[in-house]
Amino acid sequence: MPELPEVETIVRDLRPDVVGSTLGRATVHRPNVLRNISKARLVRDLRGCRAVEFSRRAKNIVMRFASGDRLIIQLRMTGSLKVAHGRLNRDDRAYLVFQVQLGAGRTFLFKDVRRLGTVQLMDPESWQEFESRIGPEPLAAEFNSVVFAKRFESTRMAIKKALMDQSKLAGVGNIYANEALFLAGIDPARPANSLSRTEYQALCRTTRKVLRDGISSRGTTLKDYRTGKGTKGSFQTRLKVYGRGGEPCTKCGATLVTTHEIDSRATTACWRCQT
DNA sequence: CATGACACCTGCTCGC
DNA sequence: TGCGAGCAGGTGTCAT
């Protein structure tokens, strides 16, 4: 799915249209996206809700209402959001899984080709429970390498898999994990508890850097991802390893290698620079 | 508790 | 040209 930078970009793009609006009619085109609620109940409960905040937590999109309840959207692999002004066109309706009126002729759209994405409505208590299971936000002001290292030091899990574990750290997915490990010069297969303090400092720094740079580039568009404005991101032009298996390492010239040995996900690394 | 298999889905690319 | 296999940015559950 969109990872932290992509979700952050979408949320920033759509926030002005969402915050302050009162929800009207909702339509669930693909009931499979719903998790903890029936279609009828969601449609009934959303009507009249006033959105007071539109934000991101890990890769979750959070629309908070004046009531304290929250609509939580996960885009997973191919989900995308848009606010349409006026009538929906053919493209708006393609792969549409959920929509809700925002008022003033605007419609909030959730499209998803693979339909792996999810929609949930949470009361404050369920949100608290859900949110508490997510690791810290790597771009938060109070985040640092000590907090970072503490999340991983007790597991022998491969550092790359640990980095993508949302209960340990929020928002990092496959692309940015590959990039951060390359920049830090760390072998993705190393057990997390084998990294030194210095290596954790480096990895903390590079993880934050790739995420910030990803946001600056408005995300990575390999195929499906679009910003909240429907445009493509540009971080794909700055990727050092992800998707570049067989090409030369930008640091040393050695051939980058792609494997699927860690958690069956594509891992690309320079086995000379990353030790 | 860690790990791996699998499920959820469609679409695209590649090899034959 | 057609067809099956394999792969894709993610996450939740279940068996081991």
Side-chain angles (χ1 to χ4, degrees):
Chain A
M1 121 178 174
E3 305 181 29
L4 186 154
E6 290 74 32
V7 177
E8 182 65 28
T9 301
I10 291 169
V11 165
R12 288 182 187 180
D13 284 349
L14 300 187
R15 182 175 290 138
D17 276 318
V18 172
V19 173
S21 59
T22 297
L23 304 192
R25 178 191 298 274
T27 311
V28 181
H29 302 279
R30 297 288 184 173
N32 281 357
V33 303
L34 302 182
R35 280 302 175 272
N36 60 350
I37 192 169
S38 72
K39 179 171 161 175
R41 177 90 194 277
L42 181 75
V43 170
R44 194 185 68 208
D45 288 0
L46 285 183
R47 181 176 283 279
C49 280
R50 188 164 59 85
V52 294
E53 185 183 15
F54 192 58
S55 60
R56 175 193 64 73
R57 176 73 172 99
K59 305 171 193 172
N60 303 284
I61 290 154
V62 184
M63 191 186 294
R64 182 168 63 85
F65 304 118
S67 63
D69 290 346
R70 290 168 173 84
L71 186 72
I72 310 299
I73 295 176
Q74 289 190 342
L75 301 176
R76 302 279 175 103
M77 301 286 262
T78 53
S80 66
L81 298 183
K82 171 184 177 176
V83 172
H85 296 253
R87 290 178 67 96
L88 302 192
N89 59 36
R90 177 188 294 261
D91 185 62
D92 290 334
R93 281 191 291 266
Y95 305 109
L96 194 55
V97 296
F98 170 81
Q99 71 182 74
V100 60
Q101 298 301 129
L102 293 177
R106 293 163 305 151
T107 313
F108 179 91
L109 306 176
F110 177 15
K111 293 155 66 79
D112 189 359
V113 173
R114 284 175 69 180
R115 308 207 308 262
L116 296 172
T118 63
V119 172
Q120 289 173 269
L121 189 61
M122 296 189 192
D123 60 26
E125 194 184 352
S126 1
W127 165 252
Q128 164 62 28
E129 214 254 313
F130 176 78
E131 200 272 344
S132 69
R133 283 183 268 117
I134 304 174
E137 287 291 330
L139 297 183
E142 65 273 20
F143 187 78
N144 59 53
S145 69
V146 176
V147 174
F148 182 69
K150 195 154 263 159
R151 310 292 299 183
F152 301 106
E153 61 193 12
S154 61
T155 181
R156 284 163 302 183
M157 189 185 291
I159 182 60
K160 185 194 166 216
K161 182 167 158 56
L163 210 48
M164 292 191 290
D165 183 337
Q166 302 302 298
S167 70
K168 293 185 164 51
L169 185 69
V172 178
N174 203 26
I175 295 178
Y176 295 94
N178 275 289
E179 296 300 305
L181 285 159
F182 171 75
L183 293 182
I186 293 168
D187 179 346
R190 291 261 303 278
N193 66 356
S194 75
L195 270 65
S196 69
R197 189 183 173 135
T198 311
E199 287 175 319
Y200 268 117
Q201 284 174 353
L203 187 57
C204 181
R205 187 171 47 75
T206 62
T207 298
R208 286 162 55 98
K209 178 174 169 49
V210 294
L211 294 174
R212 276 197 305 261
D213 289 351
I215 292 172
S216 300
S217 300
R218 295 177 54 72
T220 303
T221 297
L222 297 176
K223 186 174 175 302
D224 300 287
Y225 165 69
R226 294 294 182 277
T227 69
K229 298 182 191 303
T231 56
K232 295 181 181 182
S234 66
F235 197 67
Q236 63 279 8
T237 65
R238 301 172 63 184
L239 296 174
K240 300 278 196 275
V241 286
Y242 185 86
R244 310 196 94 86
E247 295 178 32
C249 170
T250 54
K251 283 186 192 168
C252 78
T255 301
L256 298 174
V257 176
T258 299
T259 71
H260 287 82
E261 280 158 27
I262 302 167
D263 202 29
S264 305
R265 310 287 304 277
T267 297
T268 305
C270 172
W271 305 102
R272 190 189 291 171
C273 293
Q274 296 176 253
T275 57

